[in-house]
Amino acid sequence: DAGITQSPRHKVTETGTPVTLRCHQTENHRYMYWYRQDPGHGLRLIHYSYGVKDTDKGEVSDGYSVSRSKTEDFLLTLESATSSQTSVYFCAISSGTPSYEQYFGPGTRLTVT
Amino acid sequence: AQKVTQAQTEISVVEKEDVTLDCVYETRDTTYYLFWYKQPPSGELVFLIRRNSFDEQNEISGRYSWNFQKSTSSFNFTITASQVVDSAVYFCALSELYNQGGKLIFGQGTELSVKP
């Protein structure tokens, strides 16, 4: 199994509060991704990183920011959580693109009340 | 625009039946990659297979087989002699050569329930 961990695994927070999710990898992979999973939508890309300090937006990036100061860590921040951001968040890593498979972390279930 | 459609939202079969999960994709690129992932009830996503657009050979891995047909833009997944452990949500995904950092475009997923 690819060495990917996510923390926290579960979180309940209130509307308007900032939230940071962490993804940590031990594979030294260059590419890291944040997806959200919602019923009827599959998984959708929020942001991705192609190297330390190199990030770009995905299709559902509004209300989210990311940072990558080390190869192994990719942080996702909800600047001011809203109920529409209640979701399951998955981090993924890949050693290359676009032909390489992505390996996913265990997911973080976030509930915004 | 890129798109992946899994028209079957839910499928229910009885153990030992064969079942096919459909996946239809749209892309303007001539070079692209198709993937299948499995999400069991425990929630993790498990990589099953990758296929590139230049390789139309069908693939078989044990009870799993994949049928890639460029003419119909389909990449279907068949489970032979299904087992209860096959119960999961299955996702088909597309990656294009010149897309954003290799992002995956996912279908909505097909929930397979295999009953004993």
Side-chain angles (χ1 to χ4, degrees):
Chain A
D1 291 343
I4 313 169
T5 56
Q6 292 183 230
S7 58
R9 294 293 314 279
H10 301 271
K11 185 169 182 67
V12 179
T13 192
E14 293 185 350
T15 298
T17 60
V19 177
T20 295
L21 308 182
R22 179 182 182 235
C23 177
H24 179 78
Q25 61 145 330
T26 58
E27 305 297 319
N28 200 35
H29 283 355
R30 177 181 176 189
Y31 295 87
M32 298 186 76
Y33 308 82
W34 278 108
Y35 292 87
R36 60 177 288 175
Q37 182 179 14
D38 304 290
H41 291 279
L43 283 84
R44 293 178 293 173
L45 182 68
I46 306 171
H47 282 280
Y48 70 99
S49 170
Y50 47 97
V52 173
K53 293 187 168 52
D54 293 322
T55 65
D56 204 351
K57 296 178 179 180
E59 61 181 306
V60 291
S61 59
D62 287 349
Y64 302 96
S65 62
V66 290
S67 65
R68 191 171 179 198
S69 58
K70 297 185 291 185
T71 298
E72 57 267 34
D73 289 326
F74 192 33
L75 303 181
L76 176 70
T77 297
L78 287 65
E79 293 139 11
S80 178
T82 67
S83 58
S84 64
Q85 293 176 312
T86 292
S87 187
V88 180
Y89 291 86
F90 285 96
C91 173
I93 64 174
S94 175
S95 58
T97 178
S99 62
Y100 292 80
E101 58 270 25
Q102 294 181 17
Y103 292 97
F104 287 79
T108 293
R109 183 173 295 277
L110 176 68
T111 302
V112 183
T113 61
Chain B
Q2 328 97 315
K3 186 178 180 182
V4 175
T5 301
Q6 295 178 254
Q8 305 150 307
T9 305
E10 297 178 10
I11 300 176
S12 182
V13 300
V14 176
E15 209 169 18
K16 298 183 183 175
E17 285 185 27
D18 298 347
V19 58
T20 296
L21 310 182
D22 297 334
C23 173
V24 174
Y25 62 91
E26 297 176 27
T27 177
R28 288 176 292 191
D29 280 5
T30 55
T31 302
Y32 52 89
Y33 304 85
L34 296 163
F35 303 80
W36 276 94
Y37 284 84
K38 174 182 180 180
Q39 186 176 42
S42 52
E44 74 273 22
L45 282 147
V46 179
F47 165 74
L48 295 178
I49 190 172
R50 175 190 63 237
R51 174 67 67 215
N52 74 58
S53 54
F54 298 105
D55 182 2
E56 288 195 70
Q57 280 195 338
N58 291 334
E59 175 125 359
I60 298 174
S61 176
R63 297 184 295 106
Y64 294 173
S65 62
W66 290 268
N67 182 355
F68 175 34
Q69 293 195 338
K70 288 179 74 170
S71 60
T72 56
S73 297
S74 65
F75 186 41
N76 296 337
F77 174 29
T78 296
I79 302 175
T80 302
S82 61
Q83 299 177 2
V84 172
V85 293
D86 296 325
S87 296
V89 180
Y90 291 87
F91 291 97
C92 180
L94 165 71
S95 174
E96 298 169 319
L97 180 61
Y98 297 111
N99 71 10
Q100 290 178 283
K103 74 170 183 177
L104 293 175
I105 307 294
F106 282 86
Q108 303 93 320
T110 296
E111 183 172 4
L112 174 65
S113 176
V114 181
K115 302 190 185 307

